[in-house]
Each structure stands twice: as C-alpha cells, then as structure tokens.
Amino acid sequence: MGELQNNDAIQLFEDKKIRTAWDEEQEEWYFSIVDVIAVLTGTENPRRYWSDLKRKLKKEGAVELYEKIVQLKMLSSDGKKYKTDVANTEQLLRIIQSIPSPKAEPFKAWLAMVGRERIEETIDPEQTIDRALETYLKKGYSEEWVHQRLLAIRIRNELTDEWKRRGVEKGKEYAILTDEISRAWSGMTTRQYKKLKGLKKENLRDNMSDLELVLTMLAEATTTEISKTVKPATFSENQKVAQKGGSIAGNTRKEIEETTGKPVITAQNANDFRQLVTDIVEDAAAIPEHMGEMPVDENKDE
C-alpha cells in the first residue's frame, strides 16, 4: 500500500457517510467496510454483520480476499481514531456480491463514479476546486464567501507543504503549530475558538466570517513567507515562526477593532451566515418591481 492521503475523508452515498482514504501510489480508494454494510443493509450493528460475513466468505473459499483485508485508523463517532477494516474498490465489489440489498447496483455505480472523479482530479486539480465550490454553494454559503474559503484552502496547503519541507511531522506537530498561529492572531487555540462558536466536530474555518477567514489566511501566508526566509531547522524554531506570523495578523485584528469599535471574532457560525444570506434574498424578493421608479428622498439618512 502506498502513501495514504487524508484518512478522515468522507464520501456520501444517498446522504450516508462512508469513511475513505486515498492511496496516492496505487491511485485507488479504500472504504470503511462497516460503513458500506450499514448503508447497504440498514443494520444497527454493521460490525457484527461484517464479522459474520467474514466467516461466511472464508467458508466459501474466498481466502485471498479475506487475507488481503487491511486496517487503517479512521475517525469514529466519538472523535477518536480506531483501526477499521477497509477494502479497495475491487475487494468491495466482491464483498457486495455476498450482501443481499436492493442498493447493491446503485452502490456499484456510485463506486465507479467516485473512482473516476478522483482520477480526474489527480489529472486536473481544477475539478477539485469546481466540486468544492458546488458543494459549498449547495450548503447555502454566498459565492463571495466560498471563493474566500477556497483561497484559504490553497494558502493552508502552501503552509503545510512548507512545514513538510522543514521536517515538521504531520499530525500532532501540525496541530501544535496551528494552535500557535491561532493563539497569536485570535488569542485562542483552535479548540477554544470552536467552543466560542458552539462547534464540536464541524470545521472551524467553515464557520468563520469573511474577516475571520481573511485574518486566518494572513496569519498562515505570513508564517509561510517567514519560514521560507529564515528556514527553521528545529521544531522550536518552527514554533517561533508560527508565533511571529500569527502575531502580525493579530496586530491587524487589533487595529481593525480599534478603528471599528467592534470585535472581529464572534460567536457567529455558519448557521448565522447562511440565515443572513437567506434573509437578504427574501428581503430583495419582497421589494415591489415599481420600487425602482420611486423618487429618492434626498434628506433621508444614508
């Protein structure tokens, strides 16, 4: 198995979540088997179903399939990562044959689509951006916000690429540096920030206002540029760079707050932003067409 990218990735089949991981070297998906079983059978105990099915497959002589099943650590509903049986597309198709379900054929078609889309995205990364744009718009975000969010993803990727070049380990060390940046510009760690917004498993950046997102980007882009200049050689040096990059954005935040008299960081989250967009659209729809022909009151306050 090659290098696996993002074991926390989620694919949706009929609005049901299926945990996945992408094998960069082999160019194929690995799917959580219990998630697939839950979707196809509707059973409340997919792990028990899979345990029984494994024994059945072994009895039927599918020893090669049984022995090639691998495990990956994937995020569970309790927020922790546990080893989970996974299967690639070929293995999964064989498993599906042993599961009586009216959803089997639609699921096979979905599998083919997911695989094709990922290959297309590898060849043409722009398709990834287009699909992300479409997903956010469907969730009710404004187009202006979505473009900011996609830019934030690119800037974040540039930062993590720089950390990788400096020998920072993905996972815990990335999280520590991210907290250093967050604390320096916002005064809070990521966990504290999420608590302020009433979030649990939701993505913090998906719940930021335009200004919060812009300052996050400024902090991370600045950290990247400083790192490229000073070339930190140790983790403690990377921490100092992260603090410096975040503090520059933090100073900008304080200047904005002093000028406007309003806090940049608020408890508002995506639900508030989406409701704001809905209210604006509904208000605009309620304005009579002839309003555009009404005389302007020159004495009315702006």
Side-chain angles (χ1 to χ4, degrees):
M1 188 180 293
E3 184 179 354
L4 290 170
Q5 303 293 320
N6 189 7
N7 286 18
D8 298 333
I10 298 289
Q11 299 288 337
L12 294 177
F13 172 74
E14 295 184 351
D15 294 327
K16 299 293 192 333
K17 293 180 179 179
I18 296 175
R19 291 168 294 170
T20 62
W22 174 253
D23 188 325
E24 194 71 45
E25 186 178 306
Q26 301 295 326
E27 292 192 342
E28 64 181 353
W29 283 109
Y30 280 82
F31 301 84
S32 164
I33 297 173
V34 291
D35 290 356
V36 172
I37 287 173
V39 167
L40 292 180
T41 66
T43 177
E44 293 182 1
N45 195 341
R47 284 179 176 79
R48 176 62 184 272
Y49 191 106
W50 172 228
S51 179
D52 293 341
L53 184 56
K54 274 196 286 189
R55 285 195 292 270
K56 180 186 173 187
L57 288 168
K58 197 171 182 180
K59 279 184 180 179
E60 291 176 352
V63 178
E64 187 177 354
L65 169 65
Y66 180 85
E67 291 178 346
K68 284 186 177 180
I69 294 296
V70 297
Q71 291 189 323
L72 294 175
K73 279 193 173 181
M74 289 185 161
L75 199 63
S76 186
S77 57
D78 63 2
K80 297 179 182 179
K81 289 190 174 183
Y82 300 98
K83 283 188 174 180
T84 303
D85 283 354
V86 297
N88 62 22
T89 303
E90 183 180 348
Q91 293 168 331
L92 207 53
L93 288 170
R94 173 65 184 85
I95 292 168
I96 291 169
Q97 288 177 7
S98 300
I99 300 175
S101 169
K103 296 182 180 179
E105 290 307 315
F107 191 85
K108 289 177 186 177
W110 176 83
L111 271 181
M113 180 197 70
V114 168
R116 185 187 71 248
E117 286 183 352
R118 188 61 181 83
I119 296 297
E120 288 171 353
E121 288 169 2
T122 303
I123 298 168
D124 181 7
E126 190 174 333
Q127 293 195 28
T128 310
I129 297 171
D130 291 341
R131 288 191 178 108
L133 174 62
E134 184 181 353
T135 299
Y136 278 120
L137 290 174
K138 283 180 178 177
K139 287 182 178 181
Y141 291 95
S142 71
E143 191 166 342
E144 292 76 16
W145 182 95
V146 175
H147 286 296
Q148 293 267 41
R149 182 70 181 94
L150 295 179
L151 178 59
I153 291 171
R154 181 173 69 79
I155 288 173
R156 173 68 182 181
N157 288 340
E158 288 174 357
L159 175 59
T160 55
D161 286 346
E162 174 62 17
W163 281 344
K164 188 176 181 180
R165 283 191 290 271
R166 301 300 163 204
V168 178
E169 292 184 10
K170 189 175 182 180
K172 186 176 181 180
E173 290 189 347
Y174 277 26
I176 292 171
L177 295 184
T178 300
D179 272 347
E180 293 286 5
I181 295 171
S182 178
R183 193 184 292 110
W185 88 259
S186 72
M188 294 177 287
T189 64
T190 302
R191 179 174 292 183
Q192 291 167 336
Y193 207 154
K194 290 180 76 170
K195 187 175 180 181
L196 173 69
K197 288 183 176 287
L199 308 175
K200 292 181 180 177
K201 296 179 184 178
E202 300 92 334
N203 186 296
L204 174 60
R205 295 169 198 232
D206 283 354
N207 289 272
M208 286 183 172
S209 67
D210 282 345
L211 202 47
E212 288 173 301
L213 209 49
V214 166
L215 287 170
T216 300
M217 288 190 280
L218 175 61
E220 294 193 332
T222 305
T223 300
T224 301
E225 289 307 308
I226 295 173
S227 180
K228 288 178 179 177
T229 302
V230 305
K231 297 179 174 59
T234 66
F235 183 68
S236 61
E237 288 176 359
N238 275 288
Q239 280 184 291
K240 290 176 183 176
V241 169
Q243 291 162 2
K244 182 63 177 175
S247 66
I248 290 171
N251 291 335
T252 303
R253 173 181 66 81
K254 290 169 187 174
E255 286 185 28
I256 293 169
E257 291 175 338
E258 287 172 7
T259 303
T260 63
K262 296 184 294 186
V264 166
I265 298 166
T266 73
Q268 285 189 311
N269 57 38
N271 290 332
D272 300 305
F273 305 143
R274 287 197 289 265
Q275 186 57 49
L276 177 62
V277 171
T278 301
D279 290 345
I280 291 171
V281 171
E282 289 178 350
D283 288 347
I287 298 174
E289 291 183 9
H290 67 272
M291 284 290 285
E293 301 170 3
M294 292 181 66
V296 177
D297 182 357
E298 299 292 349
N299 297 315
K300 186 177 179 181
D301 292 336
E302 294 294 334

